[in-house]
Amino acid sequence: MATIYQVSELAGVSLSTVSRVLNENDYVSKKTKQKVLDAMKQLGYQPNSIARSLASNCSNSVGVLVSELDGPFFGEMMSAIEAQLRAAGKHVIITPGHSEEDKEKNGLEFLISRNCDAIIAHVEAVTDDYLVELNKGKTPIFLISRYVEQMKENCISLDNVMGGYLATKHLLDLGHRDITYIAGPLFKPDAADRLTGHKKALNEYNIHFDEQSLYVGDFKETGGYNGLKHFFENKKQFTAIVCANDEMASGVMKCAREHNFELPKDLAIIGFDNVHFTSYLYPTLTTIDNPVEQMGKMAANLVLKDIYKQNRADIEHIFSPNLIMRDSTPRSN
């Protein structure tokens, strides 16, 4: 089987020149390119990704670390990243971090060991300092759904404070004053920021934030179900509930119906993320749009621009959330 080194010798060019031909680099003259192609044909050489990596010190693969491999949110994120990179001739290696510090570190180190050219990471448990230090190594780290000031040029994030603010302000504008809140795990930056936005909206209406109106969930249906059950058990009076993501909002709906609530008449519910199932719930769920698909594409474009030097449109580093009004948030009686 012919090797890239034999192609180099027969064509009378350097390995780097063969690499540029393999990677379709425009900086090779037509005459030189034809010499390389003729040598490949004569030797019966079939290029592969490993050979290209050896010749160019580029694996054409990007590592992707996400919190979970299931669920609509991460499914949309991974699909958008993979599709954008695949269209540019790159491959992805995906591994989960499960929102645990040790597992996130192990996942990042695994991707580095696979000689990925870059890593797109959705990480929640590792510290900013760890990420900044890791980014100084051989493999550039790009963050999605997280903002780290020292790495801001490598971040694609959402203004979660504004999202939390918009959700609660919507209910306040509808006349609701007794509002409970089901948060995601507060060690996660996006969950903490959304709660900050909730408090900001309450403050604008001169409403005191009551710790008894807060339940910290798990960003899953169980968190919403158990959160509403918690408020019922503690005889909390409220007319509306803000959920820090849509999955918890769907859990709230299930629990409310089990307690004979007529929705949306008896309880206003708002979610966050605008995942695909929200328009199929009954009632359809009012939510905050988290443009994870566009953010995934943007993270991929950032890697293609910075690492592979492909011309891309201007990079948008911080996305703005929008209120998606549906049927689950009636005006207060």
Side-chain angles (χ1 to χ4, degrees), residues 33-46:
K33 181 178 180 180
Q34 192 59 51
K35 287 171 62 177
V36 173
L37 293 175
D38 289 344
M40 290 169 58
K41 183 177 180 180
Q42 183 176 334
L43 292 168
Y45 174 76
Q46 295 294 325

Side-chain angles (χ1 to χ4, degrees), residues 38-301:
D38 289 344
M40 290 169 58
K41 183 177 180 180
Q42 183 176 334
L43 292 168
Y45 174 76
Q46 295 294 325
N48 57 59
S49 60
I50 295 175
R52 293 181 181 184
S53 176
L54 289 171
S56 64
N57 198 29
C58 173
S59 68
N60 282 314
S61 63
V62 176
V64 178
L65 188 145
V66 294
S67 295
E68 303 294 342
L69 296 178
D70 61 351
F73 180 83
F74 293 110
E76 287 186 44
M77 177 186 292
M78 288 185 287
S79 179
I81 292 172
E82 190 277 335
Q84 198 76 352
L85 291 173
R86 175 166 38 84
K90 312 303 175 186
H91 298 278
V92 299
I93 301 173
I94 299 174
T95 191
H98 299 296
S99 301
E100 297 179 22
E101 184 176 8
D102 288 345
K103 290 180 180 178
E104 287 184 350
K105 287 182 177 180
N106 288 340
L108 290 167
E109 290 168 7
F110 163 76
L111 294 172
I112 291 171
S113 75
R114 304 307 295 174
N115 295 317
C116 294
D117 298 324
I119 294 172
I120 298 173
H122 182 283
V123 285
E124 300 173 307
V126 294
T127 65
D128 289 359
D129 289 342
Y130 171 82
L131 291 168
V132 171
E133 191 64 29
L134 191 68
N135 190 51
K136 294 176 182 177
K138 66 174 184 177
T139 308
I141 309 297
F142 296 84
L143 302 179
I144 185 168
S145 289
R146 180 161 174 178
Y147 179 83
V148 176
E149 177 64 29
Q150 300 95 312
M151 296 172 59
K152 61 183 180 181
E153 296 303 318
N154 286 27
C155 296
I156 303 295
S157 62
L158 179 75
D159 187 345
N160 281 292
V161 174
M162 177 56 71
Y165 169 83
L166 290 175
T168 301
K169 186 177 185 299
H170 172 63
L171 295 175
L172 292 166
D173 288 344
L174 291 172
H176 294 279
R177 294 297 179 267
D178 296 318
I179 302 172
T180 52
Y181 190 93
I182 299 181
L186 293 178
F187 74 87
K188 299 185 177 186
D190 53 355
D193 285 348
R194 292 171 193 181
L195 179 58
T196 297
H198 168 71
K199 293 177 180 178
K200 179 181 177 182
L202 292 179
N203 186 60
E204 283 191 3
Y205 276 74
N206 296 314
I207 297 174
H208 171 70
F209 173 72
D210 179 8
E211 291 287 347
Q212 301 303 312
S213 295
L214 171 67
Y215 179 86
V216 179
D218 56 7
F219 270 153
K220 299 178 181 179
E221 291 92 339
T222 51
Y225 186 95
N226 293 332
L228 188 57
K229 185 178 177 182
H230 166 82
F231 293 135
F232 287 153
E233 290 173 349
N234 286 273
K235 297 181 172 53
K236 186 67 182 174
Q237 298 297 312
F238 54 98
T239 63
I241 187 164
V242 180
C243 299
N245 79 340
D246 295 332
E247 291 186 59
M248 293 196 297
S250 68
V252 165
M253 286 186 173
K254 176 176 173 58
C255 184
R257 288 198 170 93
E258 288 181 1
H259 285 78
N260 299 316
F261 273 55
E262 182 182 343
L263 299 178
K265 178 182 175 182
D266 296 335
L267 179 64
I269 305 168
I270 187 169
F272 200 116
D273 283 337
N274 193 30
V275 296
H276 63 84
F277 66 71
T278 52
S279 59
Y280 295 96
L281 294 173
Y282 183 76
T284 56
L285 182 65
T286 297
T287 186
I288 300 298
D289 185 45
N290 183 352
V292 63
E293 181 178 354
Q294 291 87 344
M295 290 170 65
K297 289 180 180 178
M298 192 63 69
N301 282 340

